[in-house]
Amino acid sequence: MGVEGFGPRIVFHIGSIPVTETVTVTWLIMLVVLIFSILATRNLKREPKSFQLVVEQIVDVINGMTKQNMGERNSGWAPFVGTLLIFIGLSNVIGLFGFRPPTADLNTTMSLSITTFVLTQVFGVKSKGLGGYSKGFLEPIPFLLPLNIIGELANPISLGFRLFGNIVAGVIIMTLLYGALGSFTESLLGLAVPFLQAGVPAVLHIYFDLFAGLLQSFIFTMLTMVFVSGAME
Amino acid sequence: MDSTNFIMRFFEWLMTFEPKALILSASAIGAGFAMIAGIGPGIGQGYAAGKGAEAVSRNQKTQRKSIFVMLLGAAVAETSGILALVVALILIFGNPLVDIEGNTLVLMASAIGAGISMIAGMGPGIGQGYAAGKGTEAVGKRPILQSQIVRTMLVGQAVAQTSGIFALVISLLMLFGNPLIGLEGTEIILMASALGAGLAMIAGIGPGIGQGYAAGKGAEAVGKRPKFQAQITRTMLLGQAVAQTTGIYALVIALVLLFANPLLRL
């Protein structure tokens, strides 16, 4: 689906493959996460000091969240949950620095939600056996089988579009606001000095990028945990 | 009187305008329709605010926590209003239908249909607002349980958003990837299919309200018995999945009308 006008710009081509902003900004986020991880795990001490304390706090929060939502025996999921949370969170917040969030691209959000979908199915089959798992689709009455299947398939769609819709809404509204403020100052002064663009959008940036971005990354991670642990029980 | 048939005369009157003017005017109508969704968040957030005031009146010490939960829940309830605003803004500022070569009537109907589809946002707005209110009430009673209550409230609200997201999917499909435009067929059927797909999505109001009710009751239950949070959340999600059914019917009908329309082959 090409979202012309509001879609990600094509930065350069590798051969005939177009590379969009989504991909390059994802590389940037990967780099940031990589450097942070290397710095955070260097010189670990038994008695943590300043920086190590912060890192341990992050790990603690993620471990606690996983245990509370997926149960004690599924605490091995914490690395995956943490990766999702950190990647989506950083992707959403990067709009603050003037980049286009990778999550404002349907390709990113749908691949994340399909990952969750595949995990849900695989671990559902693994823990209940193929028979037990497929029997779940015949409940509460066998008549509902087609509906249960459609309902199961609708989960990744709504999961992916929930994230995409929220983030792209922010991107579109901010783009239009900057355009409107630019033309407003120009007609006000007759000069192209966009002084209004400096302060006015800050409030909306805090709402759309910081608040909605962090909230949506949390919601995506929570729903992933609920879906996966739900399929395993 | 050349024709007594009002509808025929209406189409003849339409054809006296330029195609571009017709599509633009249809986009204006669509943008207006989309914003009807604003009814939902208005009602829902009002309920949440009322519950917030009530919670503060009962126990002043919880004021800060109650207000935090109220604002958090109300912000989630705003989502469907923002999505409707985005569709309306796309129709007004970045309309992709204007540049498409195709049947004018079908393009017009797609613009209006994309707007009508977003009316579904009313449901999630009301439902999520109810959940926010119940969450605020529960936190006001037992502020210690804030994180558990908020977690259940947010998961429930996120699920209640689903039908609003389906509406957004159909709306964006009609604007950016409309399969009807390239199809061969009687133009009135294509046009009516685009409108019908939009109309079908209005059903999303129901699941949105119902799932929001479930989310609110879930948050309330966790506030009373935090020990059973896992069971409460699971029961809530199961019920919400069943409540989603009619919304999924609507999505299926809308997708059939857009992609595999049997009416065109008759």
PDB file of all heavy atoms in Angstrom, chain A residues 67-71 226 229-230 233, chain B residues 148 151-152 155 214 217-219 221-222 225-240:
ATOM      1  N   LYS A  67       7.285 -11.781  34.127  1.00  0.00           N
ATOM      2  CA  LYS A  67       6.812 -12.752  35.112  1.00  0.00           C
ATOM      3  C   LYS A  67       5.365 -12.489  35.489  1.00  0.00           C
ATOM      4  O   LYS A  67       4.561 -13.403  35.603  1.00  0.00           O
ATOM      5  CB  LYS A  67       7.685 -12.690  36.362  1.00  0.00           C
ATOM      6  CG  LYS A  67       8.828 -13.698  36.309  1.00  0.00           C
ATOM      7  CD  LYS A  67       9.657 -13.618  37.568  1.00  0.00           C
ATOM      8  CE  LYS A  67      11.089 -13.997  37.279  1.00  0.00           C
ATOM      9  NZ  LYS A  67      12.013 -13.509  38.294  1.00  0.00           N
ATOM     10  N   GLN A  68       5.026 -11.192  35.658  1.00  0.00           N
ATOM     11  CA  GLN A  68       3.674 -10.860  36.101  1.00  0.00           C
ATOM     12  C   GLN A  68       2.632 -11.212  35.040  1.00  0.00           C
ATOM     13  O   GLN A  68       1.514 -11.596  35.374  1.00  0.00           O
ATOM     14  CB  GLN A  68       3.588  -9.374  36.411  1.00  0.00           C
ATOM     15  CG  GLN A  68       3.544  -9.117  37.899  1.00  0.00           C
ATOM     16  CD  GLN A  68       3.520  -7.654  38.188  1.00  0.00           C
ATOM     17  OE1 GLN A  68       3.945  -6.823  37.396  1.00  0.00           O
ATOM     18  NE2 GLN A  68       3.015  -7.307  39.350  1.00  0.00           N
ATOM     19  N   ASN A  69       2.989 -11.044  33.779  1.00  0.00           N
ATOM     20  CA  ASN A  69       1.981 -11.226  32.740  1.00  0.00           C
ATOM     21  C   ASN A  69       1.981 -12.610  32.113  1.00  0.00           C
ATOM     22  O   ASN A  69       0.987 -13.028  31.550  1.00  0.00           O
ATOM     23  CB  ASN A  69       2.174 -10.183  31.637  1.00  0.00           C
ATOM     24  CG  ASN A  69       1.835  -8.809  32.126  1.00  0.00           C
ATOM     25  OD1 ASN A  69       0.702  -8.543  32.527  1.00  0.00           O
ATOM     26  ND2 ASN A  69       2.807  -7.933  32.137  1.00  0.00           N
ATOM     27  N   MET A  70       3.135 -13.313  32.157  1.00  0.00           N
ATOM     28  CA  MET A  70       3.185 -14.618  31.508  1.00  0.00           C
ATOM     29  C   MET A  70       3.343 -15.749  32.503  1.00  0.00           C
ATOM     30  O   MET A  70       3.365 -16.908  32.115  1.00  0.00           O
ATOM     31  CB  MET A  70       4.328 -14.654  30.492  1.00  0.00           C
ATOM     32  CG  MET A  70       4.163 -13.630  29.406  1.00  0.00           C
ATOM     33  SD  MET A  70       5.435 -13.719  28.145  1.00  0.00           S
ATOM     34  CE  MET A  70       4.940 -15.175  27.250  1.00  0.00           C
ATOM     35  N   GLY A  71       3.490 -15.407  33.776  1.00  0.00           N
ATOM     36  CA  GLY A  71       3.663 -16.455  34.770  1.00  0.00           C
ATOM     37  C   GLY A  71       5.132 -16.755  35.004  1.00  0.00           C
ATOM     38  O   GLY A  71       5.976 -16.501  34.152  1.00  0.00           O
ATOM     39  N   VAL A 226       0.159 -11.370  26.315  1.00  0.00           N
ATOM     40  CA  VAL A 226      -1.151 -11.963  26.605  1.00  0.00           C
ATOM     41  C   VAL A 226      -1.501 -13.017  25.560  1.00  0.00           C
ATOM     42  O   VAL A 226      -1.956 -14.115  25.898  1.00  0.00           O
ATOM     43  CB  VAL A 226      -2.230 -10.855  26.645  1.00  0.00           C
ATOM     44  CG1 VAL A 226      -3.615 -11.463  26.641  1.00  0.00           C
ATOM     45  CG2 VAL A 226      -2.051  -9.984  27.864  1.00  0.00           C
ATOM     46  N   SER A 229       1.004 -16.170  25.986  1.00  0.00           N
ATOM     47  CA  SER A 229       0.753 -16.981  27.176  1.00  0.00           C
ATOM     48  C   SER A 229      -0.658 -17.553  27.135  1.00  0.00           C
ATOM     49  O   SER A 229      -0.903 -18.636  27.676  1.00  0.00           O
ATOM     50  CB  SER A 229       0.988 -16.167  28.449  1.00  0.00           C
ATOM     51  OG  SER A 229       0.087 -15.112  28.524  1.00  0.00           O
ATOM     52  N   GLY A 230      -1.587 -16.852  26.471  1.00  0.00           N
ATOM     53  CA  GLY A 230      -2.942 -17.377  26.336  1.00  0.00           C
ATOM     54  C   GLY A 230      -2.966 -18.650  25.491  1.00  0.00           C
ATOM     55  O   GLY A 230      -3.681 -19.598  25.794  1.00  0.00           O
ATOM     56  N   GLU A 233      -1.694 -21.832  27.467  1.00  0.00           N
ATOM     57  CA  GLU A 233      -2.406 -22.402  28.609  1.00  0.00           C
ATOM     58  C   GLU A 233      -3.616 -23.207  28.180  1.00  0.00           C
ATOM     59  O   GLU A 233      -4.216 -22.913  27.191  1.00  0.00           O
ATOM     60  CB  GLU A 233      -2.838 -21.272  29.535  1.00  0.00           C
ATOM     61  CG  GLU A 233      -1.631 -20.456  29.884  1.00  0.00           C
ATOM     62  CD  GLU A 233      -1.694 -19.771  31.229  1.00  0.00           C
ATOM     63  OE1 GLU A 233      -2.753 -19.831  31.869  1.00  0.00           O
ATOM     64  OE2 GLU A 233      -0.680 -19.208  31.619  1.00  0.00           O
TER      65      GLU A 233
ATOM     66  N   GLN B 148      -1.479  -2.691  38.695  1.00  0.00           N
ATOM     67  CA  GLN B 148      -2.266  -3.818  38.193  1.00  0.00           C
ATOM     68  C   GLN B 148      -3.519  -3.336  37.466  1.00  0.00           C
ATOM     69  O   GLN B 148      -3.863  -3.818  36.398  1.00  0.00           O
ATOM     70  CB  GLN B 148      -2.701  -4.746  39.336  1.00  0.00           C
ATOM     71  CG  GLN B 148      -1.627  -5.675  39.814  1.00  0.00           C
ATOM     72  CD  GLN B 148      -1.040  -5.186  41.121  1.00  0.00           C
ATOM     73  OE1 GLN B 148      -0.691  -4.006  41.218  1.00  0.00           O
ATOM     74  NE2 GLN B 148      -0.937  -6.045  42.107  1.00  0.00           N
ATOM     75  N   ARG B 151      -2.767  -1.791  34.157  1.00  0.00           N
ATOM     76  CA  ARG B 151      -2.380  -2.759  33.136  1.00  0.00           C
ATOM     77  C   ARG B 151      -3.605  -3.439  32.532  1.00  0.00           C
ATOM     78  O   ARG B 151      -3.737  -3.540  31.314  1.00  0.00           O
ATOM     79  CB  ARG B 151      -1.414  -3.781  33.740  1.00  0.00           C
ATOM     80  CG  ARG B 151      -0.337  -4.145  32.765  1.00  0.00           C
ATOM     81  CD  ARG B 151       0.704  -5.058  33.354  1.00  0.00           C
ATOM     82  NE  ARG B 151       1.266  -4.606  34.599  1.00  0.00           N
ATOM     83  CZ  ARG B 151       1.293  -5.362  35.699  1.00  0.00           C
ATOM     84  NH1 ARG B 151       0.752  -6.560  35.708  1.00  0.00           N
ATOM     85  NH2 ARG B 151       1.852  -4.906  36.791  1.00  0.00           N
ATOM     86  N   THR B 152      -4.525  -3.900  33.394  1.00  0.00           N
ATOM     87  CA  THR B 152      -5.729  -4.544  32.870  1.00  0.00           C
ATOM     88  C   THR B 152      -6.551  -3.566  32.053  1.00  0.00           C
ATOM     89  O   THR B 152      -7.062  -3.902  30.984  1.00  0.00           O
ATOM     90  CB  THR B 152      -6.580  -5.083  34.039  1.00  0.00           C
ATOM     91  OG1 THR B 152      -5.744  -5.870  34.860  1.00  0.00           O
ATOM     92  CG2 THR B 152      -7.733  -5.908  33.532  1.00  0.00           C
ATOM     93  N   VAL B 155      -4.888  -3.078  28.551  1.00  0.00           N
ATOM     94  CA  VAL B 155      -5.064  -4.223  27.645  1.00  0.00           C
ATOM     95  C   VAL B 155      -6.499  -4.257  27.145  1.00  0.00           C
ATOM     96  O   VAL B 155      -6.754  -4.412  25.949  1.00  0.00           O
ATOM     97  CB  VAL B 155      -4.700  -5.537  28.361  1.00  0.00           C
ATOM     98  CG1 VAL B 155      -5.095  -6.730  27.513  1.00  0.00           C
ATOM     99  CG2 VAL B 155      -3.221  -5.594  28.641  1.00  0.00           C
ATOM    100  N   ALA B 214     -16.445  -4.371  29.020  1.00  0.00           N
ATOM    101  CA  ALA B 214     -15.696  -5.500  29.587  1.00  0.00           C
ATOM    102  C   ALA B 214     -14.380  -5.022  30.205  1.00  0.00           C
ATOM    103  O   ALA B 214     -14.003  -5.450  31.300  1.00  0.00           O
ATOM    104  CB  ALA B 214     -15.425  -6.537  28.502  1.00  0.00           C
ATOM    105  N   LYS B 217     -15.102  -3.314  33.539  1.00  0.00           N
ATOM    106  CA  LYS B 217     -15.421  -4.259  34.600  1.00  0.00           C
ATOM    107  C   LYS B 217     -14.190  -5.062  34.994  1.00  0.00           C
ATOM    108  O   LYS B 217     -14.004  -5.406  36.173  1.00  0.00           O
ATOM    109  CB  LYS B 217     -16.549  -5.198  34.137  1.00  0.00           C
ATOM    110  CG  LYS B 217     -17.913  -4.538  34.174  1.00  0.00           C
ATOM    111  CD  LYS B 217     -18.332  -4.267  35.601  1.00  0.00           C
ATOM    112  CE  LYS B 217     -19.614  -3.466  35.642  1.00  0.00           C
ATOM    113  NZ  LYS B 217     -19.944  -3.002  36.995  1.00  0.00           N
ATOM    114  N   GLY B 218     -13.334  -5.372  34.000  1.00  0.00           N
ATOM    115  CA  GLY B 218     -12.096  -6.088  34.302  1.00  0.00           C
ATOM    116  C   GLY B 218     -11.224  -5.286  35.250  1.00  0.00           C
ATOM    117  O   GLY B 218     -10.706  -5.803  36.244  1.00  0.00           O
ATOM    118  N   ALA B 219     -11.077  -3.986  34.946  1.00  0.00           N
ATOM    119  CA  ALA B 219     -10.256  -3.125  35.803  1.00  0.00           C
ATOM    120  C   ALA B 219     -10.844  -3.065  37.209  1.00  0.00           C
ATOM    121  O   ALA B 219     -10.125  -3.116  38.213  1.00  0.00           O
ATOM    122  CB  ALA B 219     -10.168  -1.734  35.188  1.00  0.00           C
ATOM    123  N   ALA B 221     -12.713  -5.347  38.657  1.00  0.00           N
ATOM    124  CA  ALA B 221     -12.526  -6.633  39.323  1.00  0.00           C
ATOM    125  C   ALA B 221     -11.098  -6.775  39.851  1.00  0.00           C
ATOM    126  O   ALA B 221     -10.885  -7.272  40.961  1.00  0.00           O
ATOM    127  CB  ALA B 221     -12.849  -7.770  38.350  1.00  0.00           C
ATOM    128  N   VAL B 222     -10.122  -6.342  39.052  1.00  0.00           N
ATOM    129  CA  VAL B 222      -8.733  -6.422  39.515  1.00  0.00           C
ATOM    130  C   VAL B 222      -8.544  -5.533  40.746  1.00  0.00           C
ATOM    131  O   VAL B 222      -7.809  -5.878  41.672  1.00  0.00           O
ATOM    132  CB  VAL B 222      -7.760  -6.017  38.381  1.00  0.00           C
ATOM    133  CG1 VAL B 222      -6.349  -5.848  38.910  1.00  0.00           C
ATOM    134  CG2 VAL B 222      -7.776  -7.063  37.286  1.00  0.00           C
ATOM    135  N   ARG B 225      -9.986  -7.832  43.572  1.00  0.00           N
ATOM    136  CA  ARG B 225      -9.271  -9.087  43.816  1.00  0.00           C
ATOM    137  C   ARG B 225      -8.010  -9.151  42.966  1.00  0.00           C
ATOM    138  O   ARG B 225      -7.971  -9.869  41.970  1.00  0.00           O
ATOM    139  CB  ARG B 225     -10.153 -10.272  43.425  1.00  0.00           C
ATOM    140  CG  ARG B 225     -11.407 -10.425  44.249  1.00  0.00           C
ATOM    141  CD  ARG B 225     -11.244 -11.562  45.243  1.00  0.00           C
ATOM    142  NE  ARG B 225     -12.496 -11.839  45.907  1.00  0.00           N
ATOM    143  CZ  ARG B 225     -13.012 -11.044  46.854  1.00  0.00           C
ATOM    144  NH1 ARG B 225     -12.382  -9.945  47.198  1.00  0.00           N
ATOM    145  NH2 ARG B 225     -14.151 -11.366  47.429  1.00  0.00           N
ATOM    146  N   PRO B 226      -6.968  -8.420  43.387  1.00  0.00           N
ATOM    147  CA  PRO B 226      -5.749  -8.365  42.562  1.00  0.00           C
ATOM    148  C   PRO B 226      -5.082  -9.724  42.400  1.00  0.00           C
ATOM    149  O   PRO B 226      -4.346  -9.952  41.456  1.00  0.00           O
ATOM    150  CB  PRO B 226      -4.851  -7.389  43.332  1.00  0.00           C
ATOM    151  CG  PRO B 226      -5.426  -7.339  44.697  1.00  0.00           C
ATOM    152  CD  PRO B 226      -6.884  -7.605  44.582  1.00  0.00           C
ATOM    153  N   LYS B 227      -5.375 -10.651  43.325  1.00  0.00           N
ATOM    154  CA  LYS B 227      -4.740 -11.965  43.275  1.00  0.00           C
ATOM    155  C   LYS B 227      -5.130 -12.711  42.002  1.00  0.00           C
ATOM    156  O   LYS B 227      -4.370 -13.513  41.474  1.00  0.00           O
ATOM    157  CB  LYS B 227      -5.174 -12.775  44.502  1.00  0.00           C
ATOM    158  CG  LYS B 227      -4.026 -13.486  45.184  1.00  0.00           C
ATOM    159  CD  LYS B 227      -4.438 -14.038  46.525  1.00  0.00           C
ATOM    160  CE  LYS B 227      -5.277 -15.285  46.406  1.00  0.00           C
ATOM    161  NZ  LYS B 227      -5.732 -15.777  47.713  1.00  0.00           N
ATOM    162  N   PHE B 228      -6.350 -12.457  41.538  1.00  0.00           N
ATOM    163  CA  PHE B 228      -6.849 -13.218  40.398  1.00  0.00           C
ATOM    164  C   PHE B 228      -6.667 -12.472  39.089  1.00  0.00           C
ATOM    165  O   PHE B 228      -7.388 -12.727  38.134  1.00  0.00           O
ATOM    166  CB  PHE B 228      -8.333 -13.568  40.594  1.00  0.00           C
ATOM    167  CG  PHE B 228      -8.587 -14.381  41.813  1.00  0.00           C
ATOM    168  CD1 PHE B 228      -9.456 -13.945  42.798  1.00  0.00           C
ATOM    169  CD2 PHE B 228      -7.934 -15.592  41.978  1.00  0.00           C
ATOM    170  CE1 PHE B 228      -9.673 -14.706  43.934  1.00  0.00           C
ATOM    171  CE2 PHE B 228      -8.150 -16.356  43.111  1.00  0.00           C
ATOM    172  CZ  PHE B 228      -9.020 -15.908  44.094  1.00  0.00           C
ATOM    173  N   GLN B 229      -5.690 -11.561  39.054  1.00  0.00           N
ATOM    174  CA  GLN B 229      -5.554 -10.738  37.855  1.00  0.00           C
ATOM    175  C   GLN B 229      -5.449 -11.575  36.573  1.00  0.00           C
ATOM    176  O   GLN B 229      -6.121 -11.282  35.575  1.00  0.00           O
ATOM    177  CB  GLN B 229      -4.324  -9.840  37.963  1.00  0.00           C
ATOM    178  CG  GLN B 229      -4.317  -8.820  36.834  1.00  0.00           C
ATOM    179  CD  GLN B 229      -3.041  -8.001  36.809  1.00  0.00           C
ATOM    180  OE1 GLN B 229      -2.021  -8.394  37.358  1.00  0.00           O
ATOM    181  NE2 GLN B 229      -3.117  -6.868  36.174  1.00  0.00           N
ATOM    182  N   ALA B 230      -4.630 -12.616  36.598  1.00  0.00           N
ATOM    183  CA  ALA B 230      -4.432 -13.419  35.383  1.00  0.00           C
ATOM    184  C   ALA B 230      -5.755 -14.007  34.902  1.00  0.00           C
ATOM    185  O   ALA B 230      -6.097 -13.904  33.721  1.00  0.00           O
ATOM    186  CB  ALA B 230      -3.421 -14.524  35.650  1.00  0.00           C
ATOM    187  N   GLN B 231      -6.508 -14.601  35.853  1.00  0.00           N
ATOM    188  CA  GLN B 231      -7.787 -15.205  35.460  1.00  0.00           C
ATOM    189  C   GLN B 231      -8.760 -14.152  34.960  1.00  0.00           C
ATOM    190  O   GLN B 231      -9.474 -14.350  33.970  1.00  0.00           O
ATOM    191  CB  GLN B 231      -8.423 -15.958  36.630  1.00  0.00           C
ATOM    192  CG  GLN B 231      -7.755 -17.273  36.957  1.00  0.00           C
ATOM    193  CD  GLN B 231      -6.729 -17.114  38.056  1.00  0.00           C
ATOM    194  OE1 GLN B 231      -6.012 -16.103  38.101  1.00  0.00           O
ATOM    195  NE2 GLN B 231      -6.638 -18.087  38.944  1.00  0.00           N
ATOM    196  N   ILE B 232      -8.828 -13.011  35.673  1.00  0.00           N
ATOM    197  CA  ILE B 232      -9.754 -11.940  35.287  1.00  0.00           C
ATOM    198  C   ILE B 232      -9.436 -11.471  33.878  1.00  0.00           C
ATOM    199  O   ILE B 232     -10.319 -11.365  33.018  1.00  0.00           O
ATOM    200  CB  ILE B 232      -9.672 -10.763  36.278  1.00  0.00           C
ATOM    201  CG1 ILE B 232     -10.209 -11.181  37.646  1.00  0.00           C
ATOM    202  CG2 ILE B 232     -10.448  -9.566  35.760  1.00  0.00           C
ATOM    203  CD1 ILE B 232      -9.958 -10.169  38.735  1.00  0.00           C
ATOM    204  N   THR B 233      -8.121 -11.221  33.626  1.00  0.00           N
ATOM    205  CA  THR B 233      -7.744 -10.725  32.308  1.00  0.00           C
ATOM    206  C   THR B 233      -8.100 -11.736  31.228  1.00  0.00           C
ATOM    207  O   THR B 233      -8.578 -11.371  30.152  1.00  0.00           O
ATOM    208  CB  THR B 233      -6.235 -10.429  32.268  1.00  0.00           C
ATOM    209  OG1 THR B 233      -5.928  -9.586  33.375  1.00  0.00           O
ATOM    210  CG2 THR B 233      -5.846  -9.732  30.991  1.00  0.00           C
ATOM    211  N   ARG B 234      -7.856 -13.022  31.515  1.00  0.00           N
ATOM    212  CA  ARG B 234      -8.144 -14.030  30.501  1.00  0.00           C
ATOM    213  C   ARG B 234      -9.634 -14.102  30.192  1.00  0.00           C
ATOM    214  O   ARG B 234     -10.047 -14.166  29.039  1.00  0.00           O
ATOM    215  CB  ARG B 234      -7.604 -15.391  30.950  1.00  0.00           C
ATOM    216  CG  ARG B 234      -7.111 -16.216  29.778  1.00  0.00           C
ATOM    217  CD  ARG B 234      -6.281 -17.408  30.225  1.00  0.00           C
ATOM    218  NE  ARG B 234      -5.175 -16.996  31.078  1.00  0.00           N
ATOM    219  CZ  ARG B 234      -4.906 -17.548  32.254  1.00  0.00           C
ATOM    220  NH1 ARG B 234      -5.674 -18.492  32.744  1.00  0.00           N
ATOM    221  NH2 ARG B 234      -3.869 -17.141  32.955  1.00  0.00           N
ATOM    222  N   THR B 235     -10.464 -14.082  31.247  1.00  0.00           N
ATOM    223  CA  THR B 235     -11.912 -14.123  31.029  1.00  0.00           C
ATOM    224  C   THR B 235     -12.361 -12.896  30.246  1.00  0.00           C
ATOM    225  O   THR B 235     -13.166 -12.991  29.312  1.00  0.00           O
ATOM    226  CB  THR B 235     -12.654 -14.151  32.386  1.00  0.00           C
ATOM    227  OG1 THR B 235     -12.031 -15.129  33.196  1.00  0.00           O
ATOM    228  CG2 THR B 235     -14.113 -14.475  32.195  1.00  0.00           C
ATOM    229  N   MET B 236     -11.807 -11.734  30.611  1.00  0.00           N
ATOM    230  CA  MET B 236     -12.154 -10.489  29.927  1.00  0.00           C
ATOM    231  C   MET B 236     -11.825 -10.599  28.438  1.00  0.00           C
ATOM    232  O   MET B 236     -12.654 -10.292  27.587  1.00  0.00           O
ATOM    233  CB  MET B 236     -11.377  -9.340  30.564  1.00  0.00           C
ATOM    234  CG  MET B 236     -11.618  -8.004  29.946  1.00  0.00           C
ATOM    235  SD  MET B 236     -10.523  -6.774  30.679  1.00  0.00           S
ATOM    236  CE  MET B 236      -9.051  -6.973  29.685  1.00  0.00           C
ATOM    237  N   LEU B 237     -10.605 -11.097  28.135  1.00  0.00           N
ATOM    238  CA  LEU B 237     -10.185 -11.190  26.733  1.00  0.00           C
ATOM    239  C   LEU B 237     -11.054 -12.171  25.951  1.00  0.00           C
ATOM    240  O   LEU B 237     -11.397 -11.930  24.800  1.00  0.00           O
ATOM    241  CB  LEU B 237      -8.719 -11.606  26.648  1.00  0.00           C
ATOM    242  CG  LEU B 237      -7.726 -10.518  27.017  1.00  0.00           C
ATOM    243  CD1 LEU B 237      -6.330 -11.083  27.050  1.00  0.00           C
ATOM    244  CD2 LEU B 237      -7.810  -9.373  26.034  1.00  0.00           C
ATOM    245  N   LEU B 238     -11.427 -13.280  26.607  1.00  0.00           N
ATOM    246  CA  LEU B 238     -12.273 -14.277  25.942  1.00  0.00           C
ATOM    247  C   LEU B 238     -13.612 -13.646  25.579  1.00  0.00           C
ATOM    248  O   LEU B 238     -14.090 -13.750  24.444  1.00  0.00           O
ATOM    249  CB  LEU B 238     -12.467 -15.471  26.872  1.00  0.00           C
ATOM    250  CG  LEU B 238     -13.146 -16.692  26.262  1.00  0.00           C
ATOM    251  CD1 LEU B 238     -12.213 -17.323  25.258  1.00  0.00           C
ATOM    252  CD2 LEU B 238     -13.518 -17.691  27.339  1.00  0.00           C
ATOM    253  N   GLY B 239     -14.225 -12.962  26.551  1.00  0.00           N
ATOM    254  CA  GLY B 239     -15.498 -12.310  26.289  1.00  0.00           C
ATOM    255  C   GLY B 239     -15.378 -11.244  25.216  1.00  0.00           C
ATOM    256  O   GLY B 239     -16.236 -11.128  24.345  1.00  0.00           O
ATOM    257  N   GLN B 240     -14.281 -10.489  25.274  1.00  0.00           N
ATOM    258  CA  GLN B 240     -14.093  -9.441  24.271  1.00  0.00           C
ATOM    259  C   GLN B 240     -13.957 -10.032  22.875  1.00  0.00           C
ATOM    260  O   GLN B 240     -14.453  -9.469  21.902  1.00  0.00           O
ATOM    261  CB  GLN B 240     -12.853  -8.615  24.607  1.00  0.00           C
ATOM    262  CG  GLN B 240     -13.095  -7.633  25.743  1.00  0.00           C
ATOM    263  CD  GLN B 240     -11.866  -6.815  26.019  1.00  0.00           C
ATOM    264  OE1 GLN B 240     -10.758  -7.310  25.992  1.00  0.00           O
ATOM    265  NE2 GLN B 240     -12.065  -5.539  26.297  1.00  0.00           N
TER     266      GLN B 240
END
